Amino acid sequence: MRHMSFGNTPLSRCAYYRRVCDLPAEVDPPHVGRIVLRMGVAWAVIMPATLGQDVKVWMQRQGYAIGPIMSHPRSKRWTYLTRPDLPDDRSLFAEMFRLNVSVVRAGGTVALPSPADRGTTFRAWVERPDSAFRPSGSVVVAAIRGCVAECVQRRRRGLAYG
Protein backbone atom coordinates (compact mmCIF):
# COMPACT_ATOMS: atom_id res chain seq x y z
CA MET A 1 0.00 0.00 0.00
CA ARG A 2 1.32 3.43 -0.82
CA HIS A 3 2.03 5.91 1.96
CA MET A 4 -0.84 8.15 2.97
CA SER A 5 -0.36 11.16 5.21
CA PHE A 6 -2.14 11.44 8.56
CA GLY A 7 -4.10 14.42 7.27
CA ASN A 8 -4.49 17.97 8.51
CA THR A 9 -8.17 18.47 7.68
CA PRO A 10 -11.09 16.50 9.11
CA LEU A 11 -11.84 14.97 5.69
CA SER A 12 -8.22 13.94 4.97
CA ARG A 13 -7.82 12.56 8.52
CA CYS A 14 -11.05 10.62 8.11
CA ALA A 15 -9.76 9.21 4.80
CA TYR A 16 -6.56 8.11 6.60
CA TYR A 17 -8.59 6.36 9.31
CA ARG A 18 -10.66 4.58 6.65
CA ARG A 19 -7.93 3.56 4.20
CA VAL A 20 -4.91 2.92 6.42
CA CYS A 21 -6.58 1.84 9.68
CA ASP A 22 -9.76 0.14 8.40
CA LEU A 23 -11.81 2.35 10.73
CA PRO A 24 -15.08 3.43 9.06
CA ALA A 25 -14.88 6.94 10.49
CA GLU A 26 -17.15 9.80 9.44
CA VAL A 27 -17.01 13.56 9.82
CA ASP A 28 -20.12 14.44 11.82
CA PRO A 29 -21.26 17.14 11.85
CA PRO A 30 -19.34 18.46 8.83
CA HIS A 31 -19.40 22.12 9.92
CA VAL A 32 -17.75 21.22 13.26
CA GLY A 33 -15.27 18.71 11.87
CA ARG A 34 -15.73 16.12 14.61
CA ILE A 35 -14.72 12.62 13.52
CA VAL A 36 -16.79 9.75 14.87
CA LEU A 37 -16.42 6.00 14.67
CA ARG A 38 -19.40 3.68 15.02
CA MET A 39 -18.31 0.52 16.78
CA GLY A 40 -18.44 -2.63 14.69
CA VAL A 41 -15.04 -3.61 13.27
CA ALA A 42 -13.56 -2.10 16.42
CA TRP A 43 -14.77 -1.75 19.98
CA ALA A 44 -13.50 0.64 22.63
CA VAL A 45 -12.40 0.03 26.21
CA ILE A 46 -12.40 3.30 28.16
CA MET A 47 -10.70 3.69 31.53
CA PRO A 48 -9.12 6.24 33.87
CA ALA A 49 -5.85 7.56 32.41
CA THR A 50 -3.74 6.25 35.31
CA LEU A 51 -5.07 2.75 34.75
CA GLY A 52 -4.65 3.22 30.99
CA GLN A 53 -0.96 4.03 31.46
CA ASP A 54 -0.50 0.96 33.65
CA VAL A 55 -2.32 -1.23 31.12
CA LYS A 56 0.00 -0.02 28.35
CA VAL A 57 3.09 -0.85 30.44
CA TRP A 58 1.63 -4.25 31.43
CA MET A 59 0.93 -5.14 27.79
CA GLN A 60 4.43 -4.09 26.73
CA ARG A 61 6.03 -6.09 29.57
CA GLN A 62 4.03 -9.15 28.52
CA GLY A 63 5.09 -8.72 24.88
CA TYR A 64 1.71 -7.70 23.44
CA ALA A 65 1.38 -5.17 20.63
CA ILE A 66 -0.40 -2.05 21.85
CA GLY A 67 -2.56 -0.70 19.03
CA PRO A 68 -4.40 2.63 19.00
CA ILE A 69 -4.90 4.46 22.29
CA MET A 70 -6.58 7.85 22.71
CA SER A 71 -6.28 10.27 25.58
CA HIS A 72 -9.13 12.49 26.73
CA PRO A 73 -7.20 15.08 28.80
CA ARG A 74 -10.21 16.95 30.21
CA SER A 75 -11.86 13.80 31.56
CA LYS A 76 -8.54 12.10 32.35
CA ARG A 77 -9.52 8.94 30.48
CA TRP A 78 -7.87 6.71 27.90
CA THR A 79 -9.60 4.73 25.16
CA TYR A 80 -8.14 1.53 23.72
CA LEU A 81 -9.50 0.53 20.32
CA THR A 82 -9.74 -3.27 20.27
CA ARG A 83 -10.95 -6.13 18.15
CA PRO A 84 -14.66 -6.87 18.74
CA ASP A 85 -14.02 -10.13 20.54
CA LEU A 86 -15.19 -9.76 24.15
CA PRO A 87 -17.95 -12.16 25.17
CA ASP A 88 -21.40 -10.84 25.96
CA ASP A 89 -20.95 -11.55 29.66
CA ARG A 90 -22.78 -9.55 32.34
CA SER A 91 -20.29 -10.51 35.03
CA LEU A 92 -17.42 -9.17 32.89
CA PHE A 93 -19.19 -5.85 32.32
CA ALA A 94 -20.11 -5.59 36.01
CA GLU A 95 -16.48 -6.25 36.96
CA MET A 96 -15.28 -3.55 34.54
CA PHE A 97 -17.96 -1.14 35.76
CA ARG A 98 -16.70 -1.52 39.35
CA LEU A 99 -13.23 -0.54 38.06
CA ASN A 100 -14.62 2.55 36.28
CA VAL A 101 -13.99 0.89 32.90
CA SER A 102 -16.57 0.88 30.12
CA VAL A 103 -16.76 -1.17 26.95
CA VAL A 104 -18.31 0.42 23.88
CA ARG A 105 -19.63 -2.40 21.72
CA ALA A 106 -21.26 -2.68 18.29
CA GLY A 107 -23.60 0.21 17.61
CA GLY A 108 -21.96 2.62 20.05
CA THR A 109 -19.82 5.53 18.86
CA VAL A 110 -16.61 7.20 19.94
CA ALA A 111 -15.06 10.41 18.69
CA LEU A 112 -11.56 10.16 17.21
CA PRO A 113 -8.91 12.90 17.28
CA SER A 114 -9.58 15.44 14.56
CA PRO A 115 -7.57 18.40 13.27
CA ALA A 116 -10.69 20.44 14.06
CA ASP A 117 -10.26 19.72 17.79
CA ARG A 118 -8.82 22.64 19.72
CA GLY A 119 -5.28 21.31 20.13
CA THR A 120 -5.17 18.26 22.36
CA THR A 121 -7.77 19.57 24.81
CA PHE A 122 -10.44 17.05 23.79
CA ARG A 123 -8.72 14.03 22.21
CA ALA A 124 -5.17 13.10 21.29
CA TRP A 125 -3.44 9.92 20.25
CA VAL A 126 -1.23 8.24 22.85
CA GLU A 127 -0.53 5.52 20.28
CA ARG A 128 -1.60 6.64 16.82
CA PRO A 129 -3.07 4.01 14.51
CA ASP A 130 -0.85 3.26 11.53
CA SER A 131 -2.50 0.04 10.33
CA ALA A 132 -5.63 -2.03 10.82
CA PHE A 133 -4.11 -3.71 13.90
CA ARG A 134 -6.10 -3.63 17.12
CA PRO A 135 -5.35 -5.77 20.16
CA SER A 136 -7.81 -8.34 21.40
CA GLY A 137 -10.30 -6.94 23.87
CA SER A 138 -9.53 -10.01 25.98
CA VAL A 139 -5.87 -8.98 26.19
CA VAL A 140 -6.83 -5.47 27.32
CA VAL A 141 -9.17 -6.94 29.97
CA ALA A 142 -6.39 -9.31 31.12
CA ALA A 143 -4.08 -6.30 31.39
CA ILE A 144 -6.67 -4.40 33.45
CA ARG A 145 -7.02 -7.36 35.78
CA GLY A 146 -3.24 -7.74 36.01
CA CYS A 147 -2.79 -4.07 36.88
CA VAL A 148 -5.53 -4.15 39.51
CA ALA A 149 -3.98 -7.29 41.07
CA GLU A 150 -0.56 -5.59 41.17
CA CYS A 151 -2.12 -2.52 42.84
CA VAL A 152 -3.80 -4.71 45.47
CA GLN A 153 -0.46 -6.41 46.19
CA ARG A 154 1.27 -3.01 46.58
CA ARG A 155 -1.45 -1.86 48.98
CA ARG A 156 -0.99 -4.97 51.07
CA ARG A 157 2.72 -4.21 51.28
CA GLY A 158 2.03 -0.54 52.03
CA LEU A 159 3.38 0.64 48.67
CA ALA A 160 0.13 1.76 47.05
CA TYR A 161 0.24 4.82 44.85
CA GLY A 162 -3.48 5.35 44.39
Side-chain angles (χ1 to χ4, degrees):
M1 171 181 234
R2 71 174 181 53
H3 174 75
M4 181 175 189
S5 85
F6 192 51
N8 59 5
T9 69
L11 288 175
S12 63
R13 179 77 56 90
C14 196
Y16 174 89
Y17 291 148
R18 288 175 160 274
R19 292 183 189 141
V20 175
C21 310
D22 192 29
L23 295 170
E26 300 175 350
V27 179
D28 182 41
H31 66 282
V32 173
R34 188 174 84 146
I35 299 175
V36 296
L37 173 65
R38 181 169 303 283
M39 300 292 97
V41 299
W43 287 356
V45 181
I46 305 170
M47 63 196 75
T50 54
L51 178 58
Q53 291 167 338
D54 291 344
V55 165
K56 181 180 178 202
V57 169
W58 186 96
M59 289 176 67
Q60 289 170 323
R61 269 194 339 244
Q62 300 299 319
Y64 291 105
I66 303 299
I69 305 170
M70 282 184 289
S71 170
H72 309 270
R74 289 181 1 158
S75 63
K76 296 179 177 73
R77 298 185 69 74
W78 278 20
T79 299
Y80 281 72
L81 294 182
T82 69
R83 293 195 301 260
D85 61 355
L86 287 171
D88 189 11
D89 179 356
R90 285 184 187 215
S91 63
L92 168 67
F93 296 113
E95 174 190 6
M96 293 298 109
F97 180 79
R98 286 189 298 274
L99 298 172
N100 197 15
V101 174
S102 56
V103 177
V104 184
R105 297 169 50 96
T109 59
V110 296
L112 300 177
S114 170
D117 293 341
R118 288 181 250 151
T120 57
T121 303
F122 295 108
R123 288 167 290 280
W125 288 112
V126 174
E127 291 290 328
R128 188 171 93 181
D130 60 4
S131 70
F133 174 78
R134 290 176 281 284
S136 167
S138 298
V139 168
V140 175
V141 166
I144 291 167
R145 289 172 173 155
C147 291
V148 169
E150 288 173 6
C151 183
V152 168
Q153 288 174 350
R154 281 193 296 274
R155 282 188 181 145
R156 286 184 180 146
R157 293 187 306 242
L159 303 172
Y161 59 88

